Amino acid sequence: MGTSKRSWYRRRGYPHFDHPISYGDAKRIVKDPNQVARHSFYPFVEFSLQTFKLKKDPVTSKLKRVGKTRPIAYASHVDSHIYSYYSLKLAKQYEKTISHYGLGEAVLAFRALGKNNIEFAANAFDVIRGHGDCYVLAFDISGFFDNLDHQILKQMWARVLNVPSLPVDHYSVYKSLANFAKVELSALYKLFGYSLNNKNTVPKRLCSAKEFRDVVRSANNLVTVNGSKKGIPQGSPLSALLSNIYMLEFDIALNEFVKSRGGHYFRYCDDILVILPPEAGEAEENFVLSEISKLKLNVNPDKTDRVRFSCSASGEILGSKALQYLGFLFDGKKVFLRSASLARYLQKMRRGVRVAKATMEKRNEARHARGDATTTLFKKTLYKRYSHIGRRNFLTYGYSAAQTMKSEAIRRQLRVLWGRLQDEINAS
């Protein structure tokens, strides 16, 4: 989260209900509280992204592919500038607030800390090693952004600003996110005859303000509004910070409770980690669950981890099972990548190689028909995407984690993947 004077402004090139605007025009809007208070926010444009996760079957213990539809929503150009600017303003106040309560090392996500989840996980595992004998609880909040209670959010927002109620401009921004409207992308494009597959046919502004009112909203009723008293869209530049603000009272209560028992508390968005003395147990877990329920949220029982770590006379630390945290497994001695992450990589790699081969064959057919020489599989792109040769992929992420965590176990997990990639490339 940037803090420079212009860090809130970013020119976005995607088509929406309004045109992209210059920094000067955006500045005149966002820095005038009266304009923001009167501003009419456009609906978010939303589309669905089909993602897949590999989960272990509780009966067979085999990994199975489970599909999940994830909605992606993005705000209009002017609205995004407003959200970004208010995020910058609120972040400064939020940082002062958590500093006052000693939460700087407990709240990890969506802050300008210059660290990533590899470093956060490595630090947590080091803390466990430092404790030796300890009891660790890990929780995951179900449907986090979809279940943020609006009244609680408004109260915490005002608390961070240190005011009894939200100023009119902040209230306008709050309402736009609490009562957020959205329009489904495919229906919108179909209405105006735009192609989902050819971006060159889509104008930067999808329609005029009059067409939005008369055609999109009135005649075709494409705008839907969040009618419940909970949930905010994940697609605004302000939403991530608001999720931290929402959790403020919980963070204060948990941090004080855990510290009073000589433990450590960490929260990365909706992932909660509590490290307690070895005698801790059901009472401490119930306290955490009670505090979460005060926020009208629930934990996912299938993702709750309870692990007891013990230190032997020789100084060796061993967990009752492997702790799962931020994509890693820690058993007291070693850090591993989750098997589901490895399986997901293999699945993507195999699909990517097969698509590349099919594309090559199709192009070679066309070359053969023209009398041109055929070509072999273009491996450079595949290596960039699926091997350590690339810059940003699963392998480079894994080796970075291995280096940070000094984990030979992760390196061993990754070494075999090069052979798997070669096998897939060479398969007939």
Side-chain angles (χ1 to χ4, degrees), residues 207-272:
C207 62
S208 67
K210 186 176 187 303
E211 286 174 318
F212 168 74
R213 291 191 300 269
D214 297 345
V215 181
V216 177
R217 187 171 60 192
S218 298
N220 290 276
N221 199 28
L222 293 186
V223 180
T224 58
V225 179
N226 180 31
S228 70
K229 295 181 179 180
K230 62 182 182 179
I232 62 172
Q234 294 186 48
S236 89
L238 184 53
S239 298
L241 174 61
L242 291 181
S243 72
N244 272 345
I245 289 174
Y246 186 89
M247 299 293 289
L248 180 59
E249 293 232 341
F250 175 86
D251 290 332
I252 293 170
L254 258 290
N255 198 50
E256 289 180 352
F257 175 78
V258 173
K259 277 191 171 182
S260 71
R261 282 154 176 75
H264 286 77
Y265 162 65
F266 301 108
R267 182 177 63 81
Y268 188 96
C269 189
D270 54 358
D271 282 317
I272 297 163

Side-chain angles (χ1 to χ4, degrees), residues 18-283:
D18 60 353
H19 283 297
I21 61 173
S22 68
Y23 170 72
D25 290 338
K27 181 180 176 181
R28 280 189 286 275
I29 295 170
V30 303
K31 293 203 171 186
D32 185 345
N34 292 323
Q35 276 211 58
V36 174
R38 296 192 305 267
H39 181 71
S40 296
F41 289 82
Y42 272 117
F44 286 77
V45 172
E46 183 181 80
F47 64 95
S48 296
L49 185 68
Q50 187 75 7
T51 59
F52 295 92
K53 286 188 174 183
L54 292 168
K55 292 188 176 181
K56 186 176 286 187
D57 189 294
V59 179
T60 64
S61 294
K62 292 182 178 180
L63 291 172
K64 61 179 181 179
R65 194 166 180 250
V66 179
K68 182 181 180 182
T69 301
R70 181 184 169 212
I72 306 294
Y74 52 100
S76 72
H77 299 285
V78 174
D79 296 355
S80 291
H81 295 317
I82 293 173
Y83 292 137
S84 294
Y85 181 71
Y86 276 75
S87 178
L88 180 66
K89 289 174 63 174
L90 265 176
K92 292 176 181 177
Q93 294 300 117
Y94 176 71
E95 288 297 326
K96 290 179 183 177
T97 303
I98 63 171
S99 177
H100 174 75
Y101 288 104
L103 292 168
E105 295 182 0
V107 180
L108 307 177
F110 313 132
R111 297 176 58 213
L113 298 176
K115 296 181 179 180
N116 56 31
N117 69 313
I118 294 173
E119 293 162 296
F120 293 137
N123 178 62
F125 300 153
D126 283 343
V127 170
I128 292 171
R129 290 187 185 101
H131 276 265
D133 294 328
C134 60
Y135 181 56
V136 180
L137 291 165
F139 303 92
D140 179 88
I141 297 175
S142 300
F144 188 41
F145 284 88
D146 294 336
N147 290 294
L148 301 184
D149 181 82
H150 294 164
Q151 194 61 32
I152 295 174
L153 176 61
K154 185 166 65 171
Q155 291 171 355
M156 291 299 100
W157 194 328
R159 178 171 176 177
V160 167
L161 292 175
N162 198 26
V163 293
S165 60
L166 291 180
V168 288
D169 55 326
H170 282 264
Y171 184 68
S172 175
V173 177
Y174 157 77
K175 280 199 306 180
S176 74
L177 293 171
N179 305 324
F180 68 94
K182 62 184 180 181
V183 174
E184 209 280 318
L185 177 69
S186 60
L188 180 65
Y189 276 34
K190 182 179 180 181
L191 177 65
F192 289 105
Y194 302 143
S195 171
L196 286 168
N197 301 315
N198 188 352
K199 294 181 180 179
N200 294 327
T201 65
V202 185
K204 289 297 181 185
R205 187 172 190 178
L206 295 172
C207 62
S208 67
K210 186 176 187 303
E211 286 174 318
F212 168 74
R213 291 191 300 269
D214 297 345
V215 181
V216 177
R217 187 171 60 192
S218 298
N220 290 276
N221 199 28
L222 293 186
V223 180
T224 58
V225 179
N226 180 31
S228 70
K229 295 181 179 180
K230 62 182 182 179
I232 62 172
Q234 294 186 48
S236 89
L238 184 53
S239 298
L241 174 61
L242 291 181
S243 72
N244 272 345
I245 289 174
Y246 186 89
M247 299 293 289
L248 180 59
E249 293 232 341
F250 175 86
D251 290 332
I252 293 170
L254 258 290
N255 198 50
E256 289 180 352
F257 175 78
V258 173
K259 277 191 171 182
S260 71
R261 282 154 176 75
H264 286 77
Y265 162 65
F266 301 108
R267 182 177 63 81
Y268 188 96
C269 189
D270 54 358
D271 282 317
I272 297 163
L273 190 72
V274 179
I275 303 169
L276 294 160
E279 63 272 14
E282 188 176 347

Side-chain angles (χ1 to χ4, degrees), residues 169-396:
D169 55 326
H170 282 264
Y171 184 68
S172 175
V173 177
Y174 157 77
K175 280 199 306 180
S176 74
L177 293 171
N179 305 324
F180 68 94
K182 62 184 180 181
V183 174
E184 209 280 318
L185 177 69
S186 60
L188 180 65
Y189 276 34
K190 182 179 180 181
L191 177 65
F192 289 105
Y194 302 143
S195 171
L196 286 168
N197 301 315
N198 188 352
K199 294 181 180 179
N200 294 327
T201 65
V202 185
K204 289 297 181 185
R205 187 172 190 178
L206 295 172
C207 62
S208 67
K210 186 176 187 303
E211 286 174 318
F212 168 74
R213 291 191 300 269
D214 297 345
V215 181
V216 177
R217 187 171 60 192
S218 298
N220 290 276
N221 199 28
L222 293 186
V223 180
T224 58
V225 179
N226 180 31
S228 70
K229 295 181 179 180
K230 62 182 182 179
I232 62 172
Q234 294 186 48
S236 89
L238 184 53
S239 298
L241 174 61
L242 291 181
S243 72
N244 272 345
I245 289 174
Y246 186 89
M247 299 293 289
L248 180 59
E249 293 232 341
F250 175 86
D251 290 332
I252 293 170
L254 258 290
N255 198 50
E256 289 180 352
F257 175 78
V258 173
K259 277 191 171 182
S260 71
R261 282 154 176 75
H264 286 77
Y265 162 65
F266 301 108
R267 182 177 63 81
Y268 188 96
C269 189
D270 54 358
D271 282 317
I272 297 163
L273 190 72
V274 179
I275 303 169
L276 294 160
E279 63 272 14
E282 188 176 347
E284 285 74 14
E285 181 174 345
N286 288 339
F287 178 84
V288 177
L289 297 176
S290 173
E291 291 300 314
I292 290 176
S293 68
K294 289 178 183 178
L295 296 177
K296 301 183 180 180
L297 297 172
N298 297 298
V299 301
N300 184 342
D302 294 332
K303 293 186 178 180
T304 299
D305 250 358
R306 305 168 185 86
V307 184
R308 293 196 179 275
F309 289 91
S310 57
C311 186
S312 68
S314 62
E316 185 178 73
I317 299 170
L318 187 64
S320 56
K321 66 174 186 175
L323 172 69
Q324 192 169 187
Y325 183 58
L326 299 184
F328 298 95
L329 295 170
F330 176 59
D331 65 3
K333 294 189 294 184
K334 300 175 183 177
V335 180
F336 301 87
L337 294 169
R338 294 168 59 235
S339 57
S341 300
L342 297 166
R344 189 161 56 246
Y345 158 81
L346 288 170
Q347 189 177 57
K348 287 183 178 179
M349 179 269 287
R350 287 169 182 149
R351 185 166 61 244
V353 173
R354 289 166 190 174
V355 168
K357 286 182 176 181
T359 303
M360 178 196 69
E361 289 173 3
K362 187 174 181 180
R363 288 177 178 172
N364 278 339
E365 285 177 6
R367 287 189 181 96
H368 181 73
R370 294 194 303 266
D372 296 337
T374 58
T375 62
T376 57
L377 184 66
F378 192 55
K379 298 179 183 179
K380 188 174 180 181
T381 300
L382 292 174
Y383 288 153
K384 283 183 178 179
R385 289 179 181 173
Y386 305 113
S387 82
H388 60 282
I389 295 172
R391 288 188 177 181
R392 297 186 67 180
N393 59 40
F394 177 74
L395 268 294
T396 55

